Amino acid sequence: MNNPHHLNPTSLKSRFTTRFLRALTKIRAQKPISSSSPTEIFRRYRRIKVAADKSMAYSVRSRRIWSRAMLWKLRSRSYRRQDPCSGRRSGKTNQAIMKKSSNENTTTRREDGVGFVEEADELRQLVPGGETMNLCNLLDETAHYIKCLTTQLFSPIGKG
Amino acid sequence: MDVTLLDRQQATYPLELCASSVPLFQSYLGSGPIVELKRPEAYLSGDGFHEFVYFPVGGGTEFGDSEKLNLVPPDAAPGYCISRTSSCQMTAFHAAAMKEEREDMILEKMESTPGSGSRESFTKRKAEVVADRKSKDKRIKGELEGESEVKTKCSTQVSRNSSKENSKACEVRKPDYIHVRARRGQATDSHSLAERARREKISKKMKCLQDLVPGCNTITGKAGMLDEIINYVQSLQRQVEFLSMKIAALNSSAEFNVENLPIKELPSYVANFPAAAKLPAMPNLTCFQLNSMQKEAVNCMLNETMHPPLTATEGIASASVSIPEQALSSSTITQLQPFSTWNMDPQGLYNLYNMGFH
């Protein structure tokens, strides 16, 4: 793929851009271009949004808690859509996994002793997978998440 | 030879001394001493004797009247006080270090002073020892000991005693813990130290986040910072959604080369649309130049972002309901209320959408 603007082929930006472009071309190939009703646009918007999330999460792999949580969410959603029966099964196993991880870490309502419980909870809802993090990890994950979001917005695709 | 030495010791220090002083010691030590007070006789055999003899006299005034208890080496007091605190990790090796020193001192004393003649030399030492002891005890009693305090004491002992073994023991056997300097006037037990370390880590991370989030240099205080961070993350997420919506809209209308899709070329795409409406170019909002059709899509997307639990069908149904433009304009304006938390100027946003409808 010719990407003259990318300086570092292994950087997060280029990884995300290539993946996202691939997904976009796939989406464009699926639907006829002439349809422009709001419903179609809406559906395509959803698909593109999922593609953006997915390509970002795959670019980060499993190195971050939020990317793992996002990938798990996407996978469980796709399983449920494809096959309702298997979705139920995988949903159960995934729920078991999530419960185990949350029990390992601690209860969701955390008193960190620092006094920012409400704001911390709000932040946990924003960052994917944030419910199972203590404040320390939450701040790390937030910083990385912000960095990835800005990469998404300022990628050469023209988003920003 | 050791047996005769012990016999001499037994003769010099009558048992009544031990018996009478033990209750005093016990009452002084109070609760939870590390070093147990055994029966005095046990101390008279072997190494245990050293521990008994060199039990300190915590406050010199209490035992000042009894001369018998002058036999305290210079650094038994800190050794005792160190062993007193239970949370210090250096107790074991410090006690060992003290023991080494004491043994050396004892041998020295025992050899040089036979019998009762030892009293004079001991009294001589007593003067310097008492002064030394009192100052150390005051300092030690005033504070609970943390690892750092023990370290500083160790270094001062080095300077005072100038004994090589002591310094060696201090330097060689450092415990591999996270070293937190206990500040003046603050509690130094392990729990508060850990708490303080955690809080410092968190504030360090908040500083890093402050660099990432633009425009929060003026805000001091963690709560305000967290609010700013939350707003910023929310705005970034919404921007991503809007931009993906823009791509979806453009995708549907025209052929375009995805790789070369800079913002400046947008007006040309907008012109190709059947019901194009030229919008004023706003600095941050060039990506929001859309036609009315796409505004309906925006409407249902707004619905979705405002009420996330909506499924796709619900979103589309609500969009179809609000097709008439007047209803559209009013509903979009009311939906723009929650956007006041955006970093963008909400008034500018209102203007954009208003002008788009006419």
Side-chain angles (χ1 to χ4, degrees):
Chain A
M1 200 171 232
N2 52 340
N3 30 20
H5 304 292
H6 297 162
L7 299 169
N8 183 7
T10 58
S11 74
L12 177 70
K13 197 177 202 178
S14 56
R15 287 202 308 267
F16 165 74
T17 313
T18 49
R19 277 206 180 86
F20 191 47
L21 284 178
R22 223 178 285 153
L24 280 183
T25 49
K26 219 188 287 179
I27 291 170
R28 248 186 63 210
Q30 278 172 1
K31 291 287 173 176
I33 305 165
S34 56
S35 65
S36 52
S37 61
T39 58
E40 278 303 317
I41 294 175
F42 186 78
R43 267 192 216 134
R44 195 172 291 120
Y45 150 72
R46 299 255 9 196
R47 215 170 286 136
I48 288 173
K49 181 171 158 226
V50 165
D53 287 341
K54 211 180 228 178
S55 29
M56 177 47 68
Y58 272 109
S59 306
V60 182
R61 290 282 165 188
S62 306
R63 267 177 276 137
R64 288 279 159 180
I65 303 178
W66 68 264
S67 68
R68 289 198 290 267
M70 194 181 258
L71 285 173
W72 176 82
K73 224 186 292 179
L74 292 167
R75 278 199 195 115
S76 66
R77 207 181 290 161
S78 71
Y79 288 158
R80 252 181 276 137
R81 204 180 296 152
Q82 281 168 17
D83 184 3
C85 305
S86 74
R88 253 180 269 132
R89 260 184 276 125
S90 64
K92 265 189 205 163
T93 51
N94 284 333
Q95 266 180 18
I97 291 167
M98 277 298 278
K99 257 187 208 154
K100 197 172 72 168
S101 67
S102 64
N103 284 339
E104 273 167 7
N105 295 323
T106 54
T107 57
T108 46
R109 182 78 184 165
R110 288 167 189 273
E111 287 293 335
D112 285 320
V114 196
F116 308 119
V117 188
E118 292 98 21
E119 289 93 346
D121 284 343
E122 258 195 80
L123 198 55
R124 284 201 183 94
Q125 286 167 10
L126 286 177
V127 176
E131 295 86 7
T132 55
M133 295 186 222
N134 54 9
L135 190 61
C136 221
N137 291 342
L138 184 67
L139 293 178
D140 281 336
E141 296 291 317
T142 308
H144 195 262
Y145 188 56
I146 288 175
K147 180 186 150 200
C148 290
L149 283 178
T150 48
T151 314
Q152 266 187 320
L153 292 176
F154 291 100
S155 72
I157 292 181
K159 278 187 148 194
Chain B
M1 279 322 235
D2 292 340
V3 178
T4 53
L5 198 66
L6 278 173
D7 287 341
R8 218 187 313 151
Q9 287 165 7
Q10 277 179 356
T12 332
Y13 310 112
L15 276 178
E16 57 169 339
L17 151 77
C18 316
S20 61
S21 55
V22 163
L24 280 171
F25 274 125
Q26 277 173 339
S27 61
Y28 177 73
L29 288 174
S31 60
I34 291 271
V35 184
E36 288 171 317
L37 272 182
K38 305 180 218 161
R39 288 178 46 75
E41 292 81 7
Y43 289 119
L44 296 176
S45 58
D47 291 342
F49 181 75
H50 303 160
E51 279 161 18
F52 170 71
V53 169
Y54 293 107
F55 264 137
V57 254
T61 52
E62 287 179 35
F63 304 103
D65 47 352
S66 58
E67 269 190 331
K68 302 165 197 167
L69 302 171
N70 296 335
L71 319 158
V72 182
D75 38 17
Y80 152 70
C81 286
I82 286 168
S83 59
R84 223 176 126 196
T85 60
S86 53
S87 60
C88 182
Q89 294 294 332
M90 296 169 95
T91 311
F93 89 82
H94 239 282
M98 291 303 119
K99 211 173 176 181
E100 280 176 39
E101 267 205 81
R102 273 181 255 149
E103 281 167 3
D104 291 341
M105 294 260 188
I106 288 164
L107 289 172
E108 193 182 307
K109 283 178 194 166
M110 292 307 161
E111 280 161 9
S112 60
T113 61
S116 56
S118 59
R119 299 286 166 100
E120 285 78 1
S121 59
F122 280 129
T123 50
K124 269 190 222 159
R125 285 181 197 263
K126 176 199 167 190
E128 57 182 284
V129 161
V130 167
D132 219 8
R133 217 169 48 225
K134 275 186 182 168
S135 59
K136 276 187 190 164
D137 288 346
K138 278 188 188 143
R139 202 182 29 157
I140 289 161
K141 276 198 279 179
E143 320 165 303
L144 282 178
E145 284 181 353
E147 293 172 26
S148 54
E149 301 297 346
V150 174
K151 275 213 165 122
T152 52
K153 221 182 305 161
C154 187
S155 55
T156 53
Q157 280 171 2
V158 167
S159 58
R160 285 188 201 202
N161 303 331
S162 68
S163 82
K164 291 175 188 169
E165 291 142 49
N166 205 0
S167 60
K168 264 190 224 158
C170 279
E171 283 161 14
V172 167
R173 292 198 239 174
K174 273 184 196 162
D176 47 340
Y177 289 82
I178 297 171
H179 298 298
V180 178
R181 167 75 48 187
R183 285 180 220 140
R184 187 186 172 80
Q186 290 183 343
T188 56
D189 58 319
S190 60
H191 287 296
S192 48
L193 280 177
E195 267 293 313
R196 197 173 313 121
R198 256 191 78 245
R199 257 180 270 145
E200 281 171 5
K201 254 203 286 183
I202 286 177
S203 53
K204 219 193 318 175
K205 289 180 184 159
M206 296 283 283
K207 283 202 187 81
C208 293
L209 277 172
Q210 209 170 11
D211 297 330
L212 275 178
V213 177
C216 60
N217 302 322
T218 54
I219 294 170
T220 52
K222 292 190 205 163
M225 260 308 299
L226 274 176
D227 284 332
E228 273 298 313
I229 292 167
I230 287 169
N231 285 340
Y232 188 62
V233 170
Q234 273 176 343
S235 73
L236 283 179
Q237 282 178 338
R238 283 192 199 132
Q239 272 185 345
V240 169
E241 283 171 9
F242 270 103
L243 290 168
S244 58
M245 171 271 300
K246 175 199 82 172
I247 290 178
L250 293 174
N251 216 346
S252 67
S253 307
E255 283 271 353
F256 67 106
N257 192 359
V258 185
E259 289 180 14
N260 311 326
L261 194 63
I263 290 292
K264 294 182 189 105
E265 297 186 14
L266 264 182
S268 58
Y269 294 121
V270 173
N272 289 340
F273 299 152
K278 285 290 177 193
L279 296 167
M282 305 205 62
N284 297 340
L285 302 175
T286 52
C287 48
F288 291 111
Q289 300 177 17
L290 304 163
N291 58 2
S292 58
M293 218 167 20
Q294 290 161 342
K295 283 195 188 63
E296 288 175 23
V298 170
N299 199 9
C300 44
M301 285 160 212
L302 282 178
N303 272 328
E304 187 191 72
T305 54
M306 289 307 111
H307 314 285
L310 279 183
T311 60
T313 51
E314 277 181 77
I316 292 165
S318 63
S320 56
V321 163
S322 57
I323 283 178
E325 271 199 74
Q326 286 79 15
L328 194 63
S329 56
S330 56
S331 56
T332 40
I333 287 169
T334 52
Q335 277 162 11
L336 284 172
Q337 298 293 342
F339 277 80
S340 55
T341 58
W342 277 58
N343 294 337
M344 294 191 210
D345 176 28
Q347 191 59 39
L349 207 53
Y350 285 6
N351 287 339
L352 175 71
Y353 280 101
N354 280 335
M355 296 183 72
F357 294 129
H358 307 298

